[in-house]
């Protein structure tokens, strides 16, 4: 298996591979403190935000991650980002993470279709056995969104990360396995059809 990033194209959104040229347009929709409250890095200023994205690009260059910009098909507007992380070819698994969406597009078709595109790529192109997702234990909204996908909660890593403000973050882990994927795919497709 080769971890090769490609655009993921849906009916409503396209996940484009992240480039340096995306930093400025993403900053235009990322200036909401609520997006970054539970992220384990600071992105309150343009400099911090650009450093975060350049770090992601460096990880892509090293073959460690695949980072995407989430764009609306109707307008081409960038509305967020997401990534494939923790790529394990030996164990055929990856993590979907570093996901954020500008508040105006939250609780819309954007995240549902983006996750359908990513999960389809993970299970059908990369033949993964497992896809992992994780979030801050205080982020109830994210936990509910992950559960709505059909993921199973696996447990909490206590004192897992140190947040930019010094708080010790507990991280809740979720997963979707290959045998669960067909039912989850059908459920996500039905949600998008409504």
């Amino acid at each position: 298996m080769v971890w090769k990033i490609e655009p993921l194209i849906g009916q409503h959104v396209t996940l484009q591979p992240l480039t340096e040229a995306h930093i400025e347009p993403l900053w235009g929709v990322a200036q909401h403190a609520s997006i970054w409250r539970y992220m384990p890095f600071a992105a309150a200023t343009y400099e911090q935000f650009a450093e975060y994205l350049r770090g992601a690009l460096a990880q892509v260059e090293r073959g460690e991650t695949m980072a995407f910009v989430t764009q609306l098909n109707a307008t081409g507007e960038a509305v967020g980002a997401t990534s494939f992380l923790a790529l394990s070819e030996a164990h055929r698994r990856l993590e979907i993470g570093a996901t954020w969406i500008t508040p105006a597009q939250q609780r819309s078709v954007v995240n549902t279709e983006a996750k359908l595109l990513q999960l389809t790529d993970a299970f059908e192109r990369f033949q993964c056995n497992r896809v992992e997702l994780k979030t801050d234990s205080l982020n109830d909204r994210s936990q509910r969104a992950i559960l709505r996908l059909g993921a199973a909660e696996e447990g909490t890593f206590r004192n897992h990360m140190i947040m930019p403000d010094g708080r010790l973050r507990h991280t809740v882990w979720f997963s979707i396995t290959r045998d669960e994927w067909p039912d989850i795919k059908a459920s996500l497709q039905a949600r998008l059809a409504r």
Side-chain angles (χ1 to χ4, degrees):
M1 165 176 44
V2 176
W3 301 110
K4 183 176 183 296
I5 191 168
E6 295 178 357
L8 306 180
I9 303 167
Q11 180 181 348
H12 306 283
V13 299
T14 295
L15 303 182
Q16 289 287 354
L18 177 70
T19 68
E20 181 87 18
H22 290 118
I23 295 174
E24 194 85 23
L26 280 173
W27 175 243
V29 297
Q31 296 174 53
H32 302 275
S34 62
I35 294 172
W36 309 108
R37 180 176 303 134
Y38 301 110
M39 294 290 198
F41 50 81
T45 66
Y46 177 79
E47 291 73 24
Q48 290 172 332
F49 181 76
E51 181 182 342
Y52 147 65
L53 288 182
R54 288 187 181 114
L57 287 168
Q59 290 176 326
V60 170
E61 195 66 31
R62 293 191 302 266
E64 298 169 0
T65 67
M66 289 183 265
F68 299 94
V69 175
T70 307
Q71 295 179 318
L72 299 178
N73 289 347
T75 63
E77 175 190 7
V79 294
T82 190
S83 295
F84 286 144
L85 309 165
L87 307 173
S88 174
E89 186 173 342
H91 300 289
R92 290 174 44 193
R93 70 171 185 252
L94 57 80
E95 176 188 342
I96 294 175
T99 299
W100 62 271
I101 299 168
T102 193
Q105 294 297 327
Q106 292 174 5
R107 299 284 295 167
S108 71
V109 298
V110 170
N111 191 52
T112 302
E113 187 168 62
K115 290 301 175 285
L116 175 62
L117 292 169
Q118 286 181 283
L119 289 165
T120 300
D121 207 40
F123 286 114
E124 297 178 16
R125 182 161 70 105
F126 295 126
Q127 297 293 303
C128 286
N129 292 316
R130 168 187 173 84
V131 172
E132 302 165 344
L133 303 103
K134 66 180 188 268
T135 190
D136 192 312
S137 65
L138 299 180
N139 192 344
D140 294 329
R141 176 183 228 163
S142 179
Q143 290 176 57
R144 287 191 306 272
I146 294 169
L147 289 170
R148 274 195 309 272
L149 292 173
E153 184 176 334
E154 295 184 320
T156 301
F157 283 21
R158 298 176 304 152
N159 294 352
H160 181 231
M161 296 180 182
I162 300 173
M163 299 297 283
D165 65 0
R167 174 177 65 87
L168 285 174
R169 168 180 147 162
H170 306 316
T171 300
V172 184
W173 287 74
F174 302 83
S175 71
I176 297 170
T177 61
R178 169 176 289 291
D179 56 320
E180 296 164 340
W181 169 236
D183 289 340
I184 289 172
K185 180 180 182 180
S187 173
L188 291 173
Q189 288 173 327
R191 281 172 52 190
L192 284 171
R194 288 197 291 267

